[in-house]
Amino acid sequence: MAMEESEPASPQLEREENLIAAARHIVKALGSSKNLTSDAKKVLAELGTQLSSMTKLRDMEEEEEGEVKEEGVSASEGRLNAIEEKIMKWEEDMSMIWDSGPDEASEYLTAADEARQLIERWESMHLDKEDQEYKLLLRAYSVLQTAMARLEEEFRYLIIQHRQPFEPEYVSFRSIEEDVVDQSSIVSLGDESIEESPRRDGSCRPSEEHAIDLVHPDVISELRYIATLMFASNYDQECSHAYTTVRRDALDECLSILEVERLSIEDVLKMEWVTLNSRIKRWIWAVKIFVRVYLASERWLSDQVFGEGQPISLACFVDASKASILQLLNFSEAMSIGPHQPEKLIRILDMYEVLADLIPDIDTLYPDDVGSSVRIECHEVLKRLGDCVRATFLEFENAIASNASVTPFVGGGIHPLTRYVMNYMRTLTDYSETLNLLLKDPGEEDAVSFSPDMSPDTEDSKSQDSSPGRISSMVLHFRSVASILECNLDEKSKLYREPPLQHLFLMNNIHYMAEKVKGSELRLIYGDEWIRRHNWKFQQYAMNYERASWSSILSLLKDEGIQTPGTTSISRNLLKERLRSFYLAFEDVYRIQTAWLIPDIQLREDLRISISLKVIQAYRTFVGRHSTHISDKHIKYNADDLEKFLLDFFEGSLKSLQSPHKR
């Protein structure tokens, strides 16, 4: 070998050389002496002959070794020439190697691997620049670099050419959009066109994980072989860069297929609510598919190419997917920092819940320090969404309290604010678990308090619920909302000039609140005692209405004051005047209160019956008792007429009476 002359001699060889040198020195020294005996001269001659033979033998061995080494260099050079020819042949060919068939691809890979092996052998020899092998090593470097550049190109080509189309047809966008409650009709607290809000389907859960092949399985082994060879040749950065560049583009295309636009925070904040509402629904649908289907499959592909559990596999996956997942998170972050408008609360809760549900998947996909940046960002965005939910709910309470009116609501029916709030609260019950978590005060464990709505007007108010006094944060806030709404309604009732209409308005709205709670999941939150108290409240308002509307009219049907002074006889003139006043008062009430409205059919019927029992009975009694003193011409309406007229009350349509009898 070329390096043997320059390498230190072995201890045995050193001893032999020293011995020969010493012997020669002895022979030379003794040979110059003239007094040697014949025996001594004979020994010296034999020693000289042996030394000469040993020197010639060593020279012959060294010459043979040099010839063998020359033959090895020649063979290695020939091998390198053959490798170089195979590699450089494709530099003149514009076609792709893997398009030429498996034999050509295998031959090229073998040649590249042989070049790598030659380099490893020569590098282990610690060559000098003067050595012939060193020149071959430089050539091998060039050949391998050319091969690696071509393999990088082929690697990229294979991934792109054999990429499987992503068509999320197994998930229906329409069905998932419908699963999430549509609050697009909820515009603001002042919107008078609010309808009953549809309920969220409780079965709206992410679909089971679907494993899909992002690259055709037939080329996975080829990709793995190329990656292994490039890594073994110390071209790992080039291989990783080629992979992540191609897969990053594929992930961007996936988001495009899912119709997720790249929006800045400023773009989101400037967006109109109708458009933004649609984008949020699209985001909720897309993020589940992207994380559970696409990212999971992307991680699987990386493991297939680079080896499952290998650090480089995770690093390539993170590098390829980081920008895309952060793009999705950027939208939710924009929602979290936007204005805390109540109409956005449902959508933000939807975003919070879907992201919270995906956190375990994201933690699994992005483990260790390599994925920590994505993992931490997801948790931070989730926290900001949670803070936004709390702030928006508090703003919801403030908006109810500050919702002022300058004119009374026509007809005294159910105010749009009442409908809005109660339907909104009903929808929020779908998020009870999340709201219980997010509405807690910092550091709060289990809320132990009494509801602010527990007024001392009933003895058993403190025995509310199955666990007296222990109320969750969400329950406290929900009952607070109801109390705030009632205070606001009380202020709105004062806008009516007619006291009866004030009571009717409060009766309608408190009854609506009680019925909405009784007939929904809100019952579990407010409790039966709350329902009983509010049933009692709206009945009190109904009684107050009857007193304010009919007490003065019914007083006209009493006998007090119609007797002739100083006698027991009935004054016909006073009796006639009483009847006339009663008819005028009834007609006036009829004209006014037919325009008033009680939307609930049963409540309207119940109040009509109550009025009829009092008014018709009093009228029949009065007319019957004084029938001998009243002429038929003074009877403008009979009892059946009045009873029929009462059926026109509270329909919200202004009417006036036409007498069926002549005076």
Side-chain angles (χ1 to χ4, degrees):
M1 295 177 65
M3 289 298 295
E4 287 184 354
E5 295 180 359
S6 60
E7 291 178 352
S10 66
Q12 180 179 353
L13 184 59
E14 286 183 358
R15 287 194 298 271
E16 290 177 356
E17 290 178 347
N18 291 337
L19 180 60
I20 293 172
R24 283 177 175 173
H25 180 70
I26 293 171
V27 171
K28 184 178 180 182
L30 292 175
S32 62
S33 176
K34 297 180 179 180
N35 299 322
L36 292 174
T37 64
S38 58
D39 290 337
K41 289 180 179 180
K42 184 179 180 181
V43 170
L44 287 175
E46 291 177 355
L47 181 59
T49 301
Q50 289 181 358
L51 288 173
S52 177
S53 298
M54 290 176 65
T55 303
K56 287 181 180 179
L57 180 60
R58 180 177 175 186
D59 290 342
M60 290 176 62
E61 289 177 350
E62 289 178 350
E63 183 178 351
E64 290 176 359
E65 185 178 345
E67 290 176 357
V68 171
K69 183 173 71 174
E70 286 296 326
E71 290 178 2
V73 171
S74 178
S76 296
E77 185 176 8
R79 184 181 175 192
L80 178 59
N81 289 338
I83 292 170
E84 186 175 24
E85 183 181 353
K86 292 178 182 178
I87 297 299
M88 299 310 295
K89 179 184 72 172
W90 285 100
E91 293 305 297
E92 300 173 359
D93 194 333
M94 300 301 293
S95 63
M96 303 304 292
I97 299 173
W98 263 260
D99 285 345
S100 301
D103 292 340
E104 291 289 343
S106 177
E107 183 178 324
Y108 193 91
L109 286 170
T110 301
D113 194 33
E114 288 179 349
R116 178 189 64 80
Q117 293 177 26
L118 281 176
I119 289 173
E120 286 184 352
R121 174 186 171 189
W122 287 328
E123 285 180 338
S124 68
M125 295 168 59
H126 307 290
L127 300 171
D128 290 333
K129 291 184 179 180
E130 293 77 15
D131 295 329
Q132 189 175 355
E133 287 95 333
Y134 184 78
K135 295 178 182 178
L136 296 178
L137 176 61
L138 294 181
R139 279 182 60 198
Y141 279 145
S142 178
V143 170
L144 185 63
Q145 183 177 9
T146 300
M148 290 298 109
R150 184 56 182 258
L151 285 178
E152 179 184 346
E153 183 181 353
E154 297 282 339
F155 184 73
R156 191 191 307 269
Y157 172 77
L158 282 174
I159 299 175
I160 295 174
Q161 189 68 16
H162 295 276
R163 187 173 65 188
Q164 298 279 72
F166 176 60
E167 299 175 357
E169 56 190 10
Y170 47 82
V171 181
S172 168
F173 174 64
R174 178 176 298 278
S175 65
I176 288 188
E177 272 195 323
E178 291 170 353
D179 281 344
V180 183
V181 60
D182 185 1
Q183 293 295 320
S184 58
S185 62
I186 298 180
V187 178
S188 69
L189 291 180
D191 185 0
E192 296 189 0
S193 63
I194 295 168
E195 301 294 336
E196 296 276 339
S197 58
R199 307 304 313 289
R200 184 178 72 159
D201 186 349
S203 64
C204 178
R205 305 294 298 169
S207 59
E208 293 182 2
E209 181 176 328
H210 295 263
I212 59 176
D213 291 314
L214 301 179
V215 174
H216 200 284
D218 291 348
V219 299
I220 294 297
S221 60
E222 303 293 327
L223 292 171
R224 184 165 54 246
Y225 198 110
I226 295 174
T228 301
L229 180 55
M230 292 186 73
F231 272 70
S233 304
N234 295 321
Y235 281 80
D236 49 317
Q237 291 186 353
E238 289 79 0
C239 182
S240 301
H241 181 264
Y243 179 85
T244 55
T245 301
V246 172
R247 295 314 305 165
R248 193 180 297 126
D249 291 342
L251 284 158
D252 286 341
E253 183 178 329
C254 170
L255 290 181
S256 178
I257 292 172
L258 295 173
E259 298 181 22
V260 176
E261 297 183 41
R262 191 179 298 276
L263 299 170
S264 67
I265 291 178
E266 291 74 17
D267 292 334
V268 176
L269 295 178
K270 293 177 182 178
M271 202 171 290
E272 294 292 332
W273 170 240
V274 173
T275 303
L276 184 58
N277 184 47
S278 177
R279 296 288 174 84
I280 295 172
K281 289 190 288 184
R282 169 65 64 172
W283 183 91
I284 291 169
W285 172 73
V287 73
K288 289 186 287 188
I289 295 176
F290 189 75
V291 173
R292 286 223 164 98
V293 178
Y294 205 93
L295 284 186
S297 300
E298 190 70 45
R299 176 69 189 276
W300 183 44
L301 174 63
S302 184
D303 284 343
Q304 286 179 297
V305 174
F306 298 107
E308 186 175 357
Q310 296 299 316
I312 188 62
S313 173
L314 175 59
C316 286
F317 165 73
V318 172
D319 194 19
S321 63
K322 184 175 180 179
S324 297
I325 188 68
L326 291 181
Q327 178 184 336
L328 282 168
L329 292 175
N330 187 66
F331 180 81
S332 54
E333 182 176 4
M335 288 300 303
S336 71
I337 66 176
H340 300 142
Q341 298 166 331
E343 61 268 21
K344 297 180 181 179
L345 180 57
I346 300 296
R347 287 286 175 248
I348 296 171
L349 277 166
D350 287 332
M351 295 179 74
Y352 178 91
E353 287 196 344
V354 73
L355 185 56
D357 198 39
L358 291 173
I359 283 291
D361 299 81
I362 293 170
D363 288 346
T364 301
L365 288 169
Y366 296 92
D368 307 328
D369 291 341
V370 181
S372 62
S373 60
V374 174
R375 203 169 60 248
I376 291 171
E377 183 62 21
C378 286
H379 284 268
E380 285 296 321
V381 170
L382 181 67
K383 181 181 181 301
R384 286 193 285 271
L385 281 173
D387 293 340
C388 181
V389 167
R390 179 177 175 82
T392 305
F393 191 93
L394 294 177
E395 182 58 33
F396 175 56
E397 292 180 337
N398 294 333
I400 299 170
S402 60
N403 182 268
S405 301
V406 293
T407 56
F409 182 61
V410 177
I414 301 166
H415 198 278
L417 178 65
T418 308
R419 292 185 184 275
Y420 176 92
V421 171
M422 296 310 297
N423 283 311
Y424 205 88
M425 300 297 284
R426 180 188 175 196
T427 301
L428 288 178
T429 59
D430 289 330
Y431 305 86
S432 296
E433 185 176 344
T434 300
L435 288 172
N436 264 326
L437 173 67
L438 298 179
L439 293 179
K440 280 185 180 180
D441 292 326
E444 177 186 358
E445 295 299 329
D446 292 324
V448 180
S449 174
F450 287 104
S451 166
D453 191 53
M454 289 184 179
S455 55
D457 56 354
T458 56
E459 289 295 326
D460 59 344
S461 63
K462 291 186 180 181
S463 64
Q464 184 166 332
D465 301 325
S466 58
S467 55
R470 185 170 293 275
I471 303 174
S472 71
S473 300
M474 187 194 73
V475 170
L476 286 173
H477 280 281
F478 271 45
R479 291 180 181 171
S480 175
V481 165
S483 296
I484 293 170
L485 175 59
E486 287 182 51
C487 291
N488 187 289
L489 292 172
D490 189 63
E491 289 300 313
K492 290 184 185 322
S493 71
K494 297 174 183 177
L495 296 172
Y496 296 104
R497 290 180 297 177
E498 305 93 337
L501 188 52
Q502 294 178 7
H503 301 306
L504 189 80
F505 171 77
L506 290 172
M507 176 199 71
N508 275 326
N509 285 269
I510 300 300
H511 176 267
Y512 180 86
M513 292 174 65
E515 288 298 302
K516 187 63 68 172
V517 170
K518 185 167 62 175
S520 71
E521 294 82 354
L522 288 170
R523 183 170 199 152
L524 300 175
I525 297 172
Y526 286 94
D528 290 341
E529 177 57 30
W530 187 96
I531 296 173
R532 282 192 292 270
R533 288 203 323 278
H534 284 74
N535 282 341
W536 178 85
K537 281 185 179 182
F538 84 74
Q539 290 167 5
Q540 286 296 115
Y541 286 126
M543 291 173 57
N544 293 340
Y545 153 79
E546 289 186 19
R547 290 195 200 98
S549 289
W550 298 100
S551 293
S552 59
I553 298 176
L554 290 175
S555 66
L556 296 173
L557 300 178
K558 294 181 180 179
D559 289 342
E560 289 84 349
I562 62 172
Q563 291 180 335
T564 304
T567 69
T568 58
S569 61
I570 300 297
S571 171
R572 293 179 180 273
N573 290 334
L574 287 175
L575 190 59
K576 175 183 174 182
E577 185 60 31
R578 284 286 184 88
L579 278 175
R580 181 173 176 277
S581 297
F582 171 80
Y583 294 139
L584 289 175
F586 186 91
E587 290 170 356
D588 190 48
V589 171
Y590 180 92
R591 177 181 55 81
I592 294 173
Q593 296 195 14
T594 51
W596 294 359
L597 179 65
I598 300 179
D600 186 85
I601 297 175
Q602 188 60 51
L603 181 61
R604 183 167 65 236
E605 183 63 24
D606 290 345
L607 191 58
R608 285 173 178 169
I609 291 173
S610 179
I611 295 170
S612 180
L613 288 174
K614 294 178 178 66
V615 175
I616 304 304
Q617 182 62 36
Y619 180 75
R620 279 199 174 107
T621 301
F622 183 81
V623 172
R625 188 165 55 243
H626 301 294
S627 58
T628 57
H629 302 91
I630 302 174
S631 171
D632 288 343
K633 67 178 182 179
H634 295 131
I635 302 298
K636 189 173 185 180
Y637 308 111
N638 59 39
D640 291 339
D641 293 332
L642 296 179
E643 194 166 12
K644 181 180 177 182
F645 295 151
L646 287 175
L647 296 178
D648 295 332
F649 276 57
F650 316 126
E651 293 284 351
S653 177
L654 184 65
K655 296 180 180 180
S656 59
L657 284 176
Q658 297 295 327
S659 172
H661 301 283
K662 294 182 179 179
R663 286 182 182 269

